[in-house]
Amino acid sequence: MRPDGKPEGLRQSMSWLHTWCGLLLGWLLYAVFFTGTLSYFLDEINDWMRPELHRSIPGPQTAALAMAAMQKIAPDATTWTINLPGERQTAVEASWRKPGAAAGRAGTQRVHLDAGTGEVIEPRETRGGSFLYRFHFELHAMPRIWGRWIVGIATMFMFVAIITGVITHKKIFKEFFTFRPRKGQRSWLDAHNATAVLALPFHVVITFSGLLLFMSMLMPWGVKAVYDGDMQRYFAESRGRAAGGAGEREGAGRAGRAQAAEPAALASIAPMMEIAQAHWPERGVGSIVVQRPGTPQASIELREQGARSVVRGAAGERLLFDGVTGEPRNAPEARVPSTAQAVSGAMMGIHLGRFADPGLRWLLFLSGVVGTVMAGSGLVLWVVKRLPERRKLGRTPHGHRLVEVLNIGAIAGLSVATAAYFWANRLLPVDVAQRADVEIRCFFIVWGLCLAHGLSRTHRRAWLEQLWLAAVAFAALPLLNAATGGIALPAAMLQGQWSVAGFDLVALAFAVLHGFAAWKLGASAGLAAAPRPAGGAGVRIPRPVAQSAEKQA
Amino acid sequence: MSAWIAGALALPAFTALSLAMERHQEQVFGRALVLRASVIWRLAGIALLSLSLACCLAAGWSGAVAVTAWLGMLSFAALLTGWMLSYMPRHLLRAACAALALAALAFISRTYGQ
């Protein structure tokens, strides 16, 4: 929109669209990227935030101990599902369904078992990483569907921002590898471009697949027309089930129970585990599913560790045994998904990081960090780009000040709040009523305080103080973990409890990143011989020197 | 193993591609190269990238995962190349050669080691 009324080129109008889409939804998208990136390590965060589980050390007897424990806890259940410990989980997670239980999650009861003894562990009440995971697509403290709509719309704008960004970027190939440090606005632009262009495939895939995950909510018309508004039937069919049929397994379970057959003892799990281990020498067994335990029709299914393929819905490898005799049975054939299902399933699978490969998970995590830096550097760029205008004006317009404060709160404040969430998890007494909610409240209170802090301090000071605070808070997390009942980092590494050790190591890495950003920003303050006093609301204009792009990890 | 080779190949691939550009030739060699040399660098870069993709596809992943992994590796190799060009341009060629040597070693040990 040119004020002089001359027609504007495609690039200018795209640039305008990119700037304002990016700014208006940037703060939200930054938070979505940040919490979504952390969600790649959902299981690890869950483990860390339940220090009671850290003493569970898996051994060769774990499967047998878990089976024996389930025999005691839920002898009359229709199904047991036992998730064995692995790289991402240190305790056994078992769940079962009673006959006639409500469908879905509501009818499922869960328990954590010590992998070394088979005893039940009662961990503290916490939402753990699930809070961050849920926040990244449905926010908090509002009806779920609102949160999903807001994030869904923001995701659409993100897609718009990506496309307009590519059009706006004039020298996308010429400046492919270009980063010019210590050049103020230039450096910020380069950092924004580099993190956007070089990880473009990731950004496109993650945004587009995010939209696909929201597809049936954002654009329900196609499904409504074909299925006459029966969304349940659509979801059932798109997962490859016959319409109307509850999962075949549950149905079979209930039928078997209805016959109320003679009780029959389960066969020993150890020989089956050996067969499975020989089948999957690399990954081993991930979970055990027992149907109709205690009856002559009992069956035991072993699933490969992390065999969840990237195509959502496609089953991983499994072995089926007769539950009483222990003889192998033929597993039902895996369903072959159609091409359309495979493509959309693969997109969603990639978004969710649904495969075991730890290397690939790290790659996605780091790409998420790059995406977070992209969103953050774009926000900072908006401020930096307007500094000359501000100097000319001699004061800081209120709009600019607002963006500055929101940037500090959204970027540095979110890091501080996330660290505070982990601190609250350990410092709150275990028996506080509604403990999980109190933890989450701590997160939001600290975030709000950071916003207020940004308002009350000068721009540069607020950045510096919050970055240092985040660095210190993250750096102390491994110590806090060891001091409040968790397993210390060196011991965790020695015993191979990588879910806990990994969390501690990433916390240290975050501390280094924030410390580095704060140190860079402080050093650039040192370079400024005489701070330029500015008018307006006592706001000092920061020197637009690059705090390194790596800062907002 | 193939995945590691693919990752190791991505750095020399992007180094070669960057050296096909005048700006980066000046950073690394201190002068611009003749056109023919630039074309050779570009072809080498494309060849190494294709090789890296082939290694990813041979790593035992399903097609979708292999391509995703490859794109992820490319992102980081390109970021590393850009970062080295800004802060230590003289070491870029050395790092790329080291990565290439590692990839070759890994390939040899995989082919003849068993």
Side-chain angles (χ1 to χ4, degrees):
Chain A
M1 314 288 153
R2 285 170 61 143
D4 53 7
K6 280 191 196 140
E8 61 187 6
L10 172 74
R11 194 156 269 152
Q12 276 132 334
S13 58
M14 288 294 139
S15 164
W16 180 89
L17 190 59
H18 182 81
T19 303
W20 293 101
C21 272
L23 183 71
L24 290 180
L25 289 149
W27 297 297
L28 179 59
L29 287 171
Y30 180 85
V32 168
F33 254 103
F34 186 92
T35 50
T37 301
L38 290 179
S39 302
Y40 279 123
F41 290 110
L42 179 64
D43 293 356
E44 286 81 355
I45 296 176
N46 280 340
D47 255 12
W48 191 92
M49 291 179 80
R50 293 184 177 91
E52 294 80 3
L53 305 182
H54 295 190
R55 66 184 148 86
S56 152
I57 295 160
Q61 293 301 313
T62 298
L65 286 168
M67 292 288 278
M70 288 308 287
Q71 190 67 53
K72 261 187 250 156
I73 298 167
D76 55 345
T78 55
T79 321
W80 300 341
T81 306
I82 300 170
N83 286 315
L84 295 174
E87 266 168 354
R88 308 190 57 202
Q89 179 186 328
T90 177
V92 179
E93 241 180 70
S95 63
W96 68 91
R97 301 177 62 83
K98 294 259 181 194
R105 291 175 77 90
T108 310
Q109 287 169 284
R110 289 160 204 286
V111 72
H112 290 277
L113 300 174
D114 189 316
T117 63
E119 282 165 27
V120 174
I121 308 178
E122 300 271 0
R124 60 190 58 199
E125 192 202 331
T126 177
R127 290 288 307 282
S130 309
F131 161 65
L132 299 170
Y133 167 67
R134 290 264 156 195
F135 183 84
H136 109 272
F137 65 93
E138 52 191 33
L139 308 179
H140 192 72
M142 63 177 81
R144 265 184 190 179
I145 197 77
W146 289 21
R148 288 186 183 202
W149 268 103
I150 294 172
V151 175
I153 290 170
T155 313
M156 279 195 193
F157 277 98
M158 175 78 192
F159 209 45
V160 171
I162 288 178
I163 294 167
T164 53
V166 169
I167 297 174
T168 308
H169 189 14
K170 270 179 258 175
K171 304 176 191 159
I172 199 160
F173 288 111
K174 220 171 164 194
E175 295 191 345
F176 200 76
F177 299 103
T178 305
F179 177 68
R180 284 154 286 190
R182 291 182 291 278
K183 289 232 172 80
Q185 187 190 332
R186 188 80 253 173
S187 308
W188 280 103
L189 185 62
D190 282 345
H192 186 57
N193 286 343
T195 47
V197 172
L198 299 181
L200 191 63
F202 172 80
H203 300 322
V204 171
V205 166
I206 221 67
T207 312
F208 186 67
S209 56
L211 275 178
L212 275 184
L213 286 166
F214 280 130
M215 176 179 66
S216 57
M217 184 191 80
L218 296 170
M219 295 194 175
W221 310 290
V223 176
K224 277 198 175 144
V226 175
Y227 287 85
D228 256 346
D230 187 353
M231 294 302 264
Q232 294 302 328
R233 200 157 62 91
Y234 161 72
F235 284 123
E237 271 187 34
S238 67
R239 289 193 187 121
R241 287 196 210 121
E248 24 113 19
R249 200 179 313 128
E250 286 157 36
R254 272 187 218 115
R257 181 58 59 183
Q259 290 166 10
E262 303 269 299
L266 278 173
S268 162
I269 190 81
M272 302 178 212
M273 291 294 283
E274 268 172 38
I275 295 176
Q277 211 69 46
H279 250 85
W280 307 312
E282 276 178 31
R283 290 177 171 157
V285 183
S287 61
I288 306 171
V289 178
V290 185
Q291 305 288 350
R292 284 167 279 166
T295 70
Q297 293 87 24
S299 68
I300 299 179
E301 188 181 284
L302 303 187
R303 298 184 183 172
E304 189 181 0
Q305 177 91 265
R308 290 176 295 184
S309 117
V310 67
V311 177
R312 195 167 77 144
E317 262 201 68
R318 39 184 78 180
L319 290 174
L320 194 64
F321 296 90
D322 188 296
V324 178
T325 63
E327 293 297 313
R329 278 197 209 159
N330 285 335
E333 294 238 335
R335 190 177 57 85
V336 180
S338 74
T339 312
Q341 279 173 343
V343 171
S344 81
M347 285 297 248
M348 296 180 195
I350 287 169
H351 190 110
L352 302 172
R354 285 213 175 170
F355 26 75
D357 220 306
L360 211 45
R361 181 177 301 280
W362 275 102
L363 217 53
L364 284 175
F365 173 77
L366 290 172
S367 302
V369 171
V370 172
T372 313
V373 172
M374 173 190 71
S377 60
L379 287 169
V380 175
L381 183 60
W382 191 95
V383 173
V384 174
K385 203 171 175 178
R386 279 155 188 77
L387 285 179
E389 183 189 331
R390 236 199 255 181
R391 288 219 182 83
K392 221 188 283 169
L393 216 59
R395 63 183 178 84
T396 304
H398 290 301
H400 292 194
R401 175 69 183 148
L402 179 71
V403 173
E404 280 181 1
V405 171
L406 285 173
N407 276 355
I408 296 165
I411 296 169
L414 183 58
S415 295
V416 177
T418 307
Y421 179 59
F422 297 136
W423 277 80
N425 171 259
R426 292 312 181 79
L427 294 185
L428 285 173
V430 176
D431 50 359
V432 173
Q434 295 184 315
R435 195 172 181 287
D437 287 339
V438 178
E439 279 180 17
I440 293 173
R441 215 168 301 149
C442 286
F443 172 85
F444 284 107
I445 290 172
V446 171
W447 204 359
L449 285 177
C450 286
L451 209 59
H453 173 258
L455 263 176
S456 64
R457 305 293 274 172
T458 58
H459 187 215
R460 145 173 268 115
R461 230 163 231 297
W463 271 114
L464 268 176
E465 287 167 359
Q466 291 195 22
L467 285 173
W468 277 123
L469 184 61
V472 172
F474 276 118
L477 277 178
L479 298 176
L480 178 72
N481 177 32
T484 54
I487 183 168
L489 178 56
M493 285 166 78
L494 281 177
Q495 288 168 6
Q497 287 177 306
W498 285 108
S499 55
V500 181
F503 182 104
D504 279 350
L505 290 173
V506 170
L508 289 178
F510 269 37
V512 171
L513 278 174
H514 286 84
F516 179 71
W519 174 72
K520 273 292 232 194
L521 183 61
S524 74
L527 286 175
R532 213 186 307 260
V539 182
R540 196 166 71 197
I541 295 170
R543 268 174 56 92
V545 170
Q547 316 145 31
S548 150
E550 293 93 329
K551 66 181 232 51
Q552 302 97 354
Chain B
M1 191 63 128
S2 285
W4 289 104
I5 301 176
L9 284 176
L11 180 66
F14 274 115
T15 302
L17 283 179
S18 74
L19 289 180
M21 295 154 87
E22 210 168 287
R23 183 202 307 247
H24 304 306
Q25 291 165 357
E26 279 165 10
Q27 280 174 308
V28 173
F29 302 118
R31 62 188 164 83
L33 301 180
V34 293
L35 182 65
R36 183 205 291 251
S38 299
V39 171
I40 291 174
W41 277 115
R42 177 155 296 149
L43 290 178
I46 292 170
L48 283 166
L49 273 187
S50 320
L51 203 57
S52 165
L53 176 61
C55 285
C56 252
L57 289 173
W61 282 314
S62 72
V65 180
V67 173
T68 311
W70 184 62
L71 291 175
M73 290 171 187
L74 293 197
S75 294
F76 288 101
L79 278 171
L80 185 61
T81 308
W83 183 78
M84 288 195 79
L85 279 170
S86 321
Y87 289 101
M88 37 176 78
R90 306 260 157 197
H91 293 282
L92 178 64
L93 215 49
R94 238 169 280 168
C97 288
L100 197 59
L102 272 179
L105 264 179
F107 181 76
I108 292 167
S109 77
R110 196 194 63 154
T111 317
Y112 301 101
Q114 287 156 2

